[in-house]
Amino acid sequence: NGYYLTENSNDGTLTCMNTTTDDENTQFIFKDVSDSFAKQSTGGGTRNDISLSDTFYDGIFTKIFTSNIIKSFVEGNFAAVVFFAIVFGIALGKQIIFKEEDDEEKEDKKNNVQSYLLPFLKEVNEVLITIINWIIALTPFAVLSLIIKAVGSQDDLAKTFKNVAYLMAAAITAMILHFIIVDIGLLAALTKSNPFTYLKHILPAQTTAFASASSAATIPVTLRSVFDSKMVPETIGNFVIPLGATVNMDGGAIYFPCACIWLAFLNGITPTVDQYFLLIILATVGSAGTAPVPSASLVLIITAYNTVFNSEGTPDGFEFILAIDWFMDRLRTTLNVTGDAVVSRIVAEKCSLVAEDTVALPKGSVDEDKSSNNIKTVEPPDTNIEVCLE
């Protein structure tokens, strides 16, 4: 019809104009990066030849099950790296167990081949942690510069802060619903008791978690709180609470998808169904591997965003995530600690311990004097003490 898509040289917008020039701004090249045009049916119309299974396959499975793990490391494909690490760790653990069993069967242990890979990985891990600590020392200055740049480049600060408030409101609402439905609901359903009778005892742990923003630093207070309730034995609490502080990250699993979706819409991306599912998988697996220290989830948010939405570097608007993380991290930690305490109470209800020890006496430990009808009991060795569990 004589109209051409032309770029406005003043503000960069694209409009349809009936006048053309030979300038470069009127030349456009379409690059079919996702094969959208190639996969479209020859009859024209909408792209209806891609099924839901193809969408999930291309959006989830091809990112988790990579064909080149080195390429996944270079591109920062978080899903593939995590899956490879799980499989690699299981295989390495089986090899170590196999070697230990093989060493026990051999009489000459001097000639046994020792594992060199595990010490190497431990050494690399310590080196990387040292480098990360150096970077963390500079984080306050870097965050301040990013926030100043982000705020200074905004034309409408009121609208920007309103969008950030939406993110905080969505995350806080999800955490409250999780606390009511999962924590309180499961505690009441599985223990058949009033959940608030127990939850009132963990208020000191929740306060400490909010103040320190660290699940690991809150462990002593959490242990003391659950023990003071007289509803959790020390044996169960000493096992569940430290384990939960490491792998139970309910708050992180809730906040990661919220932050990634917020960043996507801020950068003009509309998430698809398969991207939502991939975010759920990454948030569930990734939150369990997050360190129980303040602001440890920031890197996970970037890697999850880049993996799901096929981007690189730091997305626009991440400065605002940094600006509010000091507060959101405290809410996440409080929810995590609450979950640890609730799980310990449920485990104590389902796996109750009998506060009773029985001693099994070895054969010959009772010396009977038939002539005097006296029975002398010999103290058993420490290795023959058994604890009755019910």
Side-chain angles (χ1 to χ4, degrees):
N1 57 3
Y3 284 83
Y4 299 91
L5 190 63
T6 307
E7 180 184 2
N8 191 325
S9 59
N10 296 326
D11 56 5
T13 58
L14 297 178
T15 56
C16 290
M17 303 179 62
N18 58 357
T19 58
T20 60
T21 61
D22 295 332
D23 298 337
E24 294 182 357
N25 61 354
T26 59
Q27 306 299 321
F28 296 93
I29 299 177
F30 288 94
K31 185 178 181 181
D32 192 10
V33 295
S34 60
D35 293 335
S36 297
F37 297 102
K39 293 180 179 180
Q40 187 175 358
S41 58
T42 55
T46 59
R47 180 182 171 184
N48 55 7
D49 59 335
I50 304 300
S51 63
L52 183 61
S53 60
D54 293 332
T55 303
F56 277 93
Y57 178 80
D58 294 334
I60 298 178
F61 293 104
T62 56
K63 293 185 177 180
I64 296 178
F65 304 97
T66 179
S67 59
N68 189 341
I69 187 60
I70 303 299
K71 182 180 178 181
S72 299
F73 273 106
V74 174
E75 296 179 350
N77 187 350
F78 181 71
V81 172
V82 169
F83 181 78
F84 173 79
I86 293 174
V87 176
F88 185 82
I90 295 174
L92 180 60
K94 291 184 67 67
Q95 288 297 319
I96 293 175
I97 295 175
F98 175 78
K99 283 188 176 183
E100 290 178 351
E101 294 177 350
D102 188 52
D103 292 346
E104 292 177 356
E105 296 177 356
K106 294 181 180 179
E107 296 181 357
D108 186 11
K109 295 185 179 182
K110 295 182 179 180
N111 297 327
N112 293 341
V113 179
Q114 301 296 327
S115 175
Y116 296 101
L117 180 58
L118 185 59
F120 170 76
L121 294 177
K122 290 182 177 179
E123 193 75 18
V124 172
N125 181 61
E126 293 176 359
V127 172
L128 293 178
I129 289 177
T130 302
I131 297 175
I132 291 174
N133 288 332
W134 292 346
I135 298 174
I136 291 176
L138 301 175
T139 299
F141 307 100
V143 172
L144 177 61
S145 63
L146 289 174
I147 294 175
I148 293 176
K149 176 185 176 183
V151 173
S153 59
Q154 297 298 322
D155 297 330
D156 190 352
L157 284 179
K159 182 179 179 181
T160 302
F161 290 150
K162 185 178 180 180
N163 290 333
V164 176
Y166 283 143
L167 169 62
M168 298 178 64
I172 293 173
T173 302
M175 292 179 186
I176 293 175
L177 291 175
H178 177 86
F179 174 70
I180 296 174
I181 298 174
V182 178
D183 291 339
I184 297 179
L186 287 181
L187 186 61
L190 298 179
T191 62
K192 302 296 191 299
S193 62
N194 185 1
F196 299 100
T197 304
Y198 172 74
L199 290 175
K200 67 181 181 181
H201 293 283
I202 66 173
L203 286 176
Q206 293 174 323
T207 305
T208 305
F210 186 83
S212 64
S214 173
S215 299
T218 316
I219 289 178
V221 183
T222 307
L223 289 173
R224 185 168 63 249
S225 298
V226 298
F227 294 156
D228 290 343
S229 68
K230 307 299 182 183
M231 301 178 187
V232 179
E234 292 188 6
T235 305
I236 293 178
N238 289 331
F239 173 76
V240 175
I241 297 301
L243 179 63
T246 305
V247 299
N248 180 38
M249 301 294 176
D250 302 345
I254 292 173
Y255 182 66
F256 296 157
C258 294
C260 291
I261 293 171
W262 183 83
L263 288 172
F265 279 103
L266 187 66
N267 288 270
I269 301 174
T270 302
T272 58
V273 176
D274 60 297
Q275 289 173 337
Y276 278 111
F277 274 95
L278 184 58
L279 272 177
I280 294 174
I281 296 174
L282 293 180
T284 304
V285 178
S287 61
T290 305
V293 296
S295 301
S297 60
L298 293 177
V299 177
L300 180 61
I301 294 176
I302 297 179
T303 53
Y305 177 87
N306 291 335
T307 300
V308 174
F309 301 108
N310 298 319
S311 61
E312 296 180 357
T314 304
D316 294 336
F318 187 74
E319 301 87 356
F320 300 104
I321 301 292
L322 290 173
I324 64 174
D325 190 70
W326 68 272
F327 178 73
M328 301 304 298
D329 190 24
R330 281 162 168 74
L331 297 180
R332 297 196 302 266
T333 305
T334 303
L335 188 62
N336 296 339
V337 171
T338 303
D340 299 341
V342 168
V343 170
S344 64
R345 174 69 181 95
I346 295 175
V347 173
E349 179 69 21
K350 297 301 179 180
C351 305
S352 58
L353 295 180
V354 177
E356 178 183 5
D357 294 343
T358 61
V359 178
L361 301 180
K363 185 177 180 181
S365 60
V366 178
D367 184 16
E368 181 178 355
D369 188 352
K370 297 181 181 179
S371 61
S372 59
N373 293 328
N374 293 329
I375 297 179
K376 301 178 182 179
T377 302
V378 181
E379 292 294 334
D382 295 337
T383 55
N384 291 283
I385 296 178
E386 299 178 353
V387 180
C388 287
L389 301 179
E390 189 176 287

